[in-house]
Amino acid sequence: MYYIHTISSITNQDSFRNEDVYASLREFDKEIDVVAPDYKEFIPRNSLRRLSPILRMGLTCAMECKNFLDKNFDAIVVGTALGCLKDTEKFLNTFITSTSDFLSPTAFIQSTHNTIGGQISLGLNNHAYNMTHTQNSLSFEVSMIDAFLCIKDGKKNVLVGAAEEKIDFLEKVQPSLIPNGYPLASGASFFAISGEKSKNKIGIQAVATNFNSINLENEIAQFLAKENCEMVDLILTSGDVVKNTTSKIESINYLKITGLHYSSSAFATHIAHDFLKNNDAETALIVNNLCKGKLGLILVKKG
Amino acid sequence: MKIYVTGYGLISAIGVGEEETLDALRNERTGINTGEKEETKAYKVGEIALSNDELKERFKLSTEGSRTALLGMVAAKQAFEGHLLSDEIKTGLISGTSVGGMDISEQEYRNYLNGEKHNPENYKHHSSGVSSEQIAEELGITDFINTISTACSSAANALMMGARMIRSGMLDRVVVGGTDSLTLFTISGFKSLMIFDADWCKPFDNSRKGLNLGEGAGFLVLESEKSLSISNKRPVALLSGWSNASDAFHQTASSPDGQGAQLSMVEALNVAGLKPSDIDYINAHGTATPNNDLSESQAIKSIFKEAIPPFSSTKAFTGHTLAASGGIEAVFAILAINKGLLLPNLNFSNVIEETQLTPQLSFEEGKTVKHVLSNSFGFGGNNSTVILSRVD
């Protein structure tokens, strides 16, 4: 088990500093992108000005996890499928339209995917292992796999999370760059995990990825059998209704709640954690098959 | 547990594969020239002469993709040649890239801005994850696919991730490396940072002005002992050490003493169980920017003290291939180990005033090279080191 010690999420839901995001879930709010905290509390004003939404979200969630844990992280692992889109778009606009030989480099240097991890290392003055995984809809799942490896390698406290930002242009290029079907959104969720038991004993038992997913139901059954899990109390899915007898309560389509971005399963993990924390339940399964043929499974457990 | 390297492949401005690459290194022939395309003609770049169609035809590529993906397929296919897919060997692919399909996206986005015919379908190649999926598809690999995007240390981090996954038993065999194509996005970006040299770059030289960009890909095949017993492949090297550390100094600049670089080199030596004196050759990151080369020199001095092994940057051959550089230079390290090479640092005339270090200046062959340390440092203070060792 990889125990979750703190979680911080900024999403379309009212999730930041919310002790029970499961209980307060509501319909996706089309009028807003995310319910953002006052970033000035977390980020110095002079740097805040330069930071795009994804950097603000990622850095704030990381700082919030650090504040609660009160220990330095021994590794920082970030997942992001599309990364810093706002700065990418900005720099594209700059160099395509500019006739000047002198361009501002800020958008360029903040456009690389690992700017989120880099800003976290700077913000926390952290010299540890710092990794960024960009595997489309499974970016969060592969980041989790790396975080677990870090703990196996002997690192104690690991910060792992994912962040995505929505830009309006994405709507123009659906479905080639991102699938159709749900409102596009931004979001970030970060977790401080370790091998040591957390207060509420909730953790992640296993994460599995499948890049050649053919039969969803069989693959879920195989995964649960391997993890000695006969019954799960809650299933959170990225769309397909998982028809089976393994869930005591109906499954929740988390994309309807979080909106669509490639790392929505990170917030689903937050929902699962709070569900287990505040209810008489022991297991939750996240089924992420947002992209055809790609399947991510995350088993969250109490105990 | 030992991590065996059983295959390697590369493509860069100095050639495709081992033979062409060695010929250029041996004859100290740079691949950097005035660009031949509309986007590159104003610069000195390490451009690969083959067009996308020529790449597809010459290397019989059956999967569509951006130039980044195509270059990756060429190098990964070379590395994986003679390897057979088997249910008994759980095989993955981990690729590092920073630009992904930007070469296509930037053209399409220009059309969009100019109000010309805009085909949104073309953005399907954009994400870096897609380029890895396309490379994996070309090789038939489905057990595990991952992409690492930490700017210029991406490929080194892919090697490290692969080694750790084998060590943990999650994979038996993994194709690891990196790929990046030249794009207007990166050319304009480095230009905006004003760390371009209009002339040939001069790594570790006192008068260095900046880098030349390049493109290419380099991949290795890593295997566990169990995998070797089934694949019967002959190991050509060991991936013995790896590490990543954060400089936590500045988004793009390195700290003056190279703190992140020091942490990364020390930890890689620890993982390998080696002392600094065991290293026979350092393939430095050596981008030829004023900041990197000074910072890296200080870090090398602080770790190797008075006994600095021969070191050089090969960026003056290939240009800085960004996310691919750690993969390409890992192949250089394997060539150095197996052929006893020390690779020359081109365009050097004077030592950096503050550090007084002279890199390896000529191509030497027939040396004893057991352990090579290779550095890759990226934006975000992302510092990685891998160590490749001789199979004894």
Side-chain angles (χ1 to χ4, degrees):
Chain A
M1 278 278 271
Y2 302 92
Y3 291 96
I4 298 169
H5 290 257
T6 66
I7 312 180
S8 180
S9 293
I10 297 171
T11 66
N12 184 274
Q13 298 283 318
D14 185 14
S15 52
F16 192 73
R17 286 187 176 163
N18 182 338
E19 284 298 304
D20 193 347
V21 299
Y22 174 76
S24 51
L25 291 177
R26 53 156 169 75
E27 286 277 293
F28 181 83
D29 185 347
K30 280 184 230 148
E31 302 303 314
I32 56 161
D33 187 26
V34 294
V35 181
D38 185 1
Y39 290 120
K40 288 196 291 295
E41 270 183 50
F42 301 86
I43 305 168
R45 205 178 285 254
N46 56 344
S47 34
L48 185 60
R49 198 170 37 86
R50 287 179 292 109
L51 299 183
S52 62
I54 196 171
L55 298 176
R56 292 172 178 206
M57 291 189 299
L59 184 54
T60 302
C61 288
M63 292 203 141
E64 183 71 356
C65 285
K66 165 76 170 56
N67 290 343
F68 270 91
L69 190 73
D70 200 30
K71 281 178 198 153
N72 243 325
F73 297 116
D74 305 303
I76 293 168
V77 186
V78 180
T80 182
L82 297 176
C84 303
L85 285 175
K86 206 150 220 163
D87 280 317
T88 302
E89 187 184 34
K90 193 170 169 186
F91 194 67
L92 276 167
N93 273 307
T94 304
F95 79 78
I96 290 173
T97 57
S98 171
T99 49
S100 164
D101 260 356
F102 299 95
L103 308 174
S104 162
T106 310
F108 174 65
I109 67 181
Q110 293 189 165
S111 70
T112 58
H113 290 81
N114 70 318
T115 313
I116 310 159
Q119 285 293 328
I120 294 172
S121 77
L122 281 169
L124 303 183
N125 191 24
N126 185 302
H127 292 277
Y129 176 86
N130 193 297
M131 204 50 54
T132 301
H133 297 273
T134 58
Q135 198 48 52
N136 294 337
S137 59
L138 298 182
S139 299
F140 176 63
E141 284 77 357
V142 292
S143 298
M144 279 289 190
I145 288 172
D146 188 1
F148 296 171
L149 283 177
C150 285
I151 291 171
K152 283 186 191 157
D153 288 346
K155 297 186 195 310
K156 285 201 170 69
N157 297 298
V158 177
L159 178 73
V160 56
E164 304 286 351
E165 83 187 339
K166 176 201 157 185
I167 54 170
D168 293 340
F169 185 73
L170 270 184
E171 275 158 12
K172 289 193 182 20
V173 298
Q174 268 186 320
S176 72
L177 188 51
I178 189 158
N180 272 328
Y182 298 92
L184 293 175
S186 302
S189 290
F190 279 77
F191 304 76
I193 64 166
S194 87
E196 280 171 36
K197 265 195 182 158
S198 57
K199 220 163 66 188
N200 58 33
K201 303 188 186 80
I202 297 166
I204 295 158
Q205 182 173 324
V207 171
T209 56
N210 185 335
F211 293 87
N212 190 24
S213 171
I214 302 159
N215 185 325
L216 185 64
E217 281 170 30
N218 278 354
E219 285 150 8
I220 292 172
Q222 277 171 18
F223 173 73
L224 292 178
K226 192 174 162 230
E227 297 304 325
N228 293 317
C229 183
E230 281 176 14
M231 178 79 92
V232 294
D233 297 300
L234 174 65
I235 296 183
L236 290 144
T237 80
S238 63
D240 288 1
V241 177
V242 179
K243 272 182 272 158
N244 65 49
T245 52
T246 56
S247 175
K248 279 188 217 159
I249 64 172
E250 226 174 294
S251 62
I252 297 175
N253 177 345
Y254 60 81
L255 293 180
K256 281 189 185 163
I257 299 162
T258 65
L260 170 63
H261 60 72
Y262 273 127
S263 298
S264 304
S265 58
F267 185 55
T269 306
H270 187 166
I271 299 172
H273 172 274
D274 285 8
F275 167 73
L276 296 181
K277 188 174 77 176
N278 299 303
N279 293 278
D280 181 21
E282 277 177 9
T283 48
L285 177 70
I286 292 128
V287 179
N288 170 11
N289 64 338
L290 175 58
C291 288
K292 194 169 175 279
K294 314 287 188 301
L295 174 65
L297 297 170
I298 303 173
L299 186 61
V300 189
K301 208 166 172 180
K302 184 159 49 181
Chain B
M1 183 199 256
K2 284 184 174 153
I3 308 294
Y4 297 95
V5 182
T6 58
Y8 53 84
L10 81 172
I11 177 167
S12 77
I14 59 170
V16 186
E18 176 174 337
E19 208 175 309
E20 285 180 30
T21 302
L22 269 174
D23 187 62
L25 293 170
R26 190 173 277 126
N27 294 298
E28 302 187 10
R29 190 174 61 240
T30 181
I32 299 168
N33 285 300
T34 302
E36 289 186 353
K37 295 176 187 153
E38 187 57 35
E39 310 89 86
T40 56
K41 65 181 185 193
Y43 308 96
K44 289 271 188 297
V45 284
E47 198 166 60
I48 293 164
L50 298 163
S51 70
N52 289 1
D53 285 338
E54 286 167 337
L55 286 170
K56 282 185 226 170
E57 198 184 300
R58 180 167 159 194
F59 301 100
K60 300 184 173 59
L61 307 178
S62 50
T63 314
E64 285 294 316
S66 63
R67 186 165 176 83
T68 298
L70 297 176
L71 293 173
M73 287 176 212
V74 172
K77 261 182 108 165
Q78 269 175 47
F80 205 58
E81 204 181 292
H83 280 268
L84 298 173
L85 290 165
S86 148
D87 287 343
E88 290 172 280
I89 309 177
K90 198 168 181 200
T91 305
L93 179 126
I94 306 174
S95 173
T97 183
S98 65
V99 302
M102 181 56 88
D103 56 306
I104 296 175
S105 302
E106 66 189 12
Q107 292 302 333
E108 208 50 59
Y109 195 76
R110 178 191 295 272
N111 293 343
Y112 164 74
L113 286 182
N114 292 344
E116 289 164 23
K117 194 165 174 281
H118 179 233
N119 182 6
E121 177 67 10
N122 283 332
Y123 294 99
K124 70 181 180 203
H125 299 293
H126 176 81
S127 91
S128 44
V130 164
S131 66
S132 308
E133 286 167 10
Q134 289 165 336
I135 299 166
E137 186 183 333
E138 183 69 21
L139 268 53
I141 290 172
T142 54
D143 290 336
F144 183 77
I145 302 167
N146 187 19
T147 308
I148 287 179
S149 195
T150 54
C152 310
S153 54
S154 301
N157 287 333
L159 265 61
M160 173 170 178
M161 181 74 183
R164 291 163 64 228
M165 287 188 79
I166 288 181
R167 207 170 60 171
S168 76
M170 294 183 77
L171 293 173
D172 305 313
R173 176 175 61 183
V174 57
V175 181
V176 291
T179 178
D180 257 339
S181 63
L182 275 167
T183 63
L184 258 179
F185 192 91
T186 38
I187 290 171
S188 308
F190 283 97
K191 191 173 113 182
S192 75
L193 281 164
M194 292 189 276
I195 50 172
F196 255 157
D197 195 333
D199 216 324
W200 279 278
C201 71
K202 298 191 278 272
F204 294 106
D205 186 85
N206 199 39
S207 66
R208 69 202 177 284
K209 288 195 182 71
L211 52 80
N212 303 137
L213 276 182
E215 62 182 348
F219 279 86
L220 311 182
V221 181
L222 308 180
E223 286 190 71
S224 67
E225 196 125 358
K226 175 203 151 189
S227 178
L228 275 189
S229 72
I230 302 167
S231 74
N232 284 319
K233 297 295 285 187
R234 188 182 67 85
V236 292
L238 299 171
L239 178 56
S240 56
W242 52 78
S243 175
N244 170 272
S246 200
D247 201 30
F249 175 73
H250 183 271
Q251 176 59 24
T252 51
S254 306
S255 58
D257 59 346
Q259 192 185 357
Q262 289 185 41
L263 288 169
S264 163
M265 285 190 272
V266 167
E267 178 59 16
L269 287 164
N270 286 343
V271 170
L274 297 173
K275 302 185 294 295
S277 59
D278 293 324
I279 299 298
D280 300 301
Y281 166 62
I282 299 172
N283 188 292
H285 186 53
T287 54
T289 63
N291 175 242
N292 175 81
D293 292 10
L294 176 58
S295 170
E296 188 173 9
S297 295
Q298 297 287 21
I300 288 172
K301 279 182 87 163
S302 76
I303 285 160
F304 294 90
K305 310 272 190 269
E306 302 304 311
I308 296 174
F311 75 97
S312 64
S313 161
T314 44
K315 298 283 196 293
F317 281 99
T318 58
H320 187 2
T321 57
L322 305 180
S325 62
I328 290 170
E329 288 160 27
V331 178
F332 290 174
I334 293 167
L335 297 177
I337 287 165
N338 289 326
K339 299 185 185 301
L341 311 180
L342 299 175
L343 303 178
N345 187 103
L346 304 179
N347 311 331
F348 177 88
S349 346
N350 296 301
V351 291
I352 297 175
E353 205 182 319
E354 296 92 324
T355 49
Q356 301 284 319
L357 297 183
T358 305
Q360 174 68 25
L361 294 178
S362 58
F363 181 89
E364 289 190 57
E365 200 156 4
K367 295 282 185 183
T368 302
V369 183
K370 281 190 180 172
H371 303 286
V372 177
L373 180 147
S374 176
N375 282 334
S376 298
F377 307 146
F379 278 7
N382 201 280
N383 294 33
S384 299
T385 302
V386 294
I387 298 174
L388 288 130
S389 300
R390 199 167 76 184
V391 186
D392 281 322

